[in-house]
Amino acid sequence: MNTKMTNLLILFIFFCDITYCIPKKLLDKSSNPAFTPSKVKTLSNYNRTFRISANEMDTSVIYNLPLNDIDGNAINLDQFQGKKILIINTATNSSYVSQYDSLEQLYQKYKDSLVIIAIPSNSFGNESSDDATIKEFVMSNYHIHYILAQKMNVMGDAQSVLYSWLTHIEQNNMMSNGVQGDFFKFLVDGSGKLVGAFMPSVEPMSQDMQGVITN
């Protein structure tokens, strides 16, 4: 290969490489319509696509986050790729505690394509019990088959790693949204992207909820 061709090749490689290194905020984004039920916190462009390098962290980082079930066993979130994940902070003394039951109904209806993770938390002062007591109460009263995770903080200085990801755009690359009470809900799509947040008053079996799960 002559010198002229070599120099051209180097320039071509440099140009192609630098297009992958431009900060995401400077790249063009494409917008797709998001769901807009009245009580659902939504993103106007939650399907934004960025051209990024293979080494840059993307929104599927949720699959690498640590999580244990109520018995202390590690949960590998990576196994849920391809399914939507609904994450809810729960409390047995919350006025919304009956949603444990409607979440079970939702799970039974969509369990082939939906994972539900209930995460007990005392962040709003409504869950003072320990994990063993919480598990006994939930299983004896609601007989759930979806995942019941270990108790954790969903806000504040001791916020868990998972909820830090869910509530900060710097980490999830999609939105910043604080938890607005017990039984606040986050929805992650089948590729690991955070696509929506639901107020506690949104019932699991509501048309709003089922609509975004089947979309």
Side-chain angles (χ1 to χ4, degrees), residues 67-75 131-132 135 148-151:
L67 184 66
N68 291 337
D69 67 19
I70 197 76
D71 295 317
N73 303 308
I75 299 171
D131 285 338
K135 179 181 178 180
L148 185 61
Q150 274 187 332
K151 184 177 176 180

Side-chain angles (χ1 to χ4, degrees), residues 123 153-161 164 168:
S123 291
N153 292 309
V154 301
M155 53 187 286
D157 293 339
Q159 186 181 48
S160 68
V161 173
S164 180
H168 292 87

Side-chain angles (χ1 to χ4, degrees), residues 82-85 109-115 213-214:
K83 291 187 175 184
K84 292 181 178 176
I85 305 174
K109 187 172 183 178
Y110 297 108
K111 61 184 178 182
D112 290 339
S113 60
L114 176 68
V115 175
I213 288 173
T214 57

Side-chain angles (χ1 to χ4, degrees), residues 189-205:
D189 71 10
S191 62
K193 298 178 182 178
L194 180 61
V195 294
F198 302 76
M199 295 298 289
S201 58
V202 177
E203 283 290 329
M205 289 299 290

Side-chain angles (χ1 to χ4, degrees), residues 37-71:
S38 60
K39 292 185 179 180
V40 182
K41 197 116 177 157
T42 64
L43 302 171
S44 60
N45 56 348
Y46 71 84
N47 277 334
R48 293 176 297 177
T49 301
F50 299 105
R51 193 179 186 189
I52 59 177
S53 72
N55 292 326
E56 186 173 352
M57 190 77 72
D58 64 21
T59 53
S60 65
V61 67
I62 191 174
Y63 296 130
N64 300 317
L65 298 180
L67 184 66
N68 291 337
D69 67 19
I70 197 76
D71 295 317

Side-chain angles (χ1 to χ4, degrees), residues 1-14:
M1 184 179 297
N2 60 42
T3 302
K4 183 177 181 180
M5 290 184 64
T6 300
N7 290 338
L8 287 173
L9 179 59
I10 291 172
L11 286 172
F12 176 75
I13 293 172
F14 174 79

